Amino acid sequence: MPKAKGKTRRQKFGYNVNRKRLNRNARRKAAPRIECSHIRHAWDHTKSVRQNLAEMGLAMDPNKAVPLRKRKVKAMEVDMVERPKDLVRKPYVLNDLEAEASLPEKKGNTLSRDLIEYVQYMVANHGEDYKAMARDEKNYYQDTPKQIRNKVNVYKRFYPTEWQTFIDSLQNKKMEVD
């Protein structure tokens, strides 16, 4: 559908815009963002990807970095020509990556506070009787006995120390009452 007459504006040239900076920023934005902070900080935008990775001691192509040995043809020692290794100018990147990889993995499993309180209430009032828990008025979601048992088991698995202290406190309360 054609535009209405008189609705288009004439394009004017922006004389006050720095074209060199504009193009450089456009190139940087077009390049993909490097997620790894160690590599991103050591990256040189004037060099190619292969040159950057070689300076950091990383391989562009793992198949070429660690070639498979051919079993059929055995080369003589005279034929073996070692190609020169690339100079690693930024070994700190490799060291940082190794240090980060050696750290233990963080455990990201957590339960909601509501679920923890729900399980503690049910166990405090009913013990191991899951059928009674299913009939309890606080069972808002109408969980079946197996579903409640699974929730209790998940709580035991995620927070074993907290579960043990909770059970010990219940034992102490029962002893005080008796």
Side-chain angles (χ1 to χ4, degrees):
M1 187 170 176
K3 291 184 180 178
K5 188 175 181 183
K7 293 293 180 186
T8 57
R9 286 183 65 187
R10 190 172 138 251
Q11 292 285 330
K12 295 181 181 176
F13 186 78
Y15 289 99
N16 58 346
V17 176
N18 186 346
R19 301 278 162 207
K20 188 174 182 181
R21 187 177 347 143
L22 193 70
N23 288 335
R24 187 176 61 223
N25 289 341
R27 264 198 321 267
R28 282 198 183 139
K29 286 180 183 174
R33 176 164 167 72
I34 301 169
E35 291 297 323
C36 179
S37 62
H38 305 298
I39 295 175
R40 186 174 58 241
H41 292 305
W43 198 264
D44 187 1
H45 291 284
T46 60
K47 296 182 179 174
S48 69
V49 176
R50 187 178 301 277
Q51 289 171 335
N52 271 306
L53 292 177
E55 281 187 353
M56 295 177 209
L58 302 173
M60 173 79 174
D61 185 5
N63 295 322
K64 291 180 182 173
V66 184
L68 294 174
R69 295 181 190 161
K70 305 285 186 197
R71 292 185 182 194
K72 294 179 182 176
V73 180
K74 292 195 174 191
M76 295 180 66
E77 293 179 20
V78 178
D79 294 341
M80 297 280 285
V81 178
E82 289 192 24
R83 51 175 221 191
K85 290 279 185 182
D86 294 328
L87 182 65
V88 179
R89 293 194 177 123
K90 300 174 182 175
Y92 59 90
V93 175
L94 197 59
N95 296 337
D96 291 343
L97 289 173
E98 287 175 351
E100 187 177 328
S102 66
L103 292 175
E105 187 176 341
K106 292 182 180 178
K107 194 173 182 182
N109 297 335
T110 57
L111 295 177
S112 68
R113 197 72 228 159
D114 294 336
L115 183 64
I116 292 171
E117 291 171 2
Y118 171 76
V119 168
Q120 287 179 350
Y121 167 81
M122 290 295 187
V123 172
N125 289 338
H126 303 290
E128 294 289 320
D129 189 5
Y130 296 110
K131 288 184 179 177
M133 290 181 195
R135 290 190 302 269
D136 194 294
E137 61 184 10
K138 291 259 184 165
N139 184 7
Y140 299 128
Y141 297 112
Q142 297 183 350
D143 292 330
T144 63
K146 278 191 173 182
Q147 288 173 325
I148 295 173
R149 188 183 69 213
N150 289 338
K151 287 182 181 182
V152 171
N153 289 337
V154 165
Y155 177 63
K156 286 180 189 176
R157 193 171 58 243
F158 280 15
Y159 302 104
T161 55
E162 190 176 319
W163 170 258
Q164 194 59 44
T165 55
F166 174 67
I167 294 298
D168 293 340
S169 69
L170 287 179
Q171 296 287 335
N172 292 338
K173 286 181 184 177
K174 283 185 181 178
M175 287 182 181
E176 290 174 5
V177 171
D178 293 340

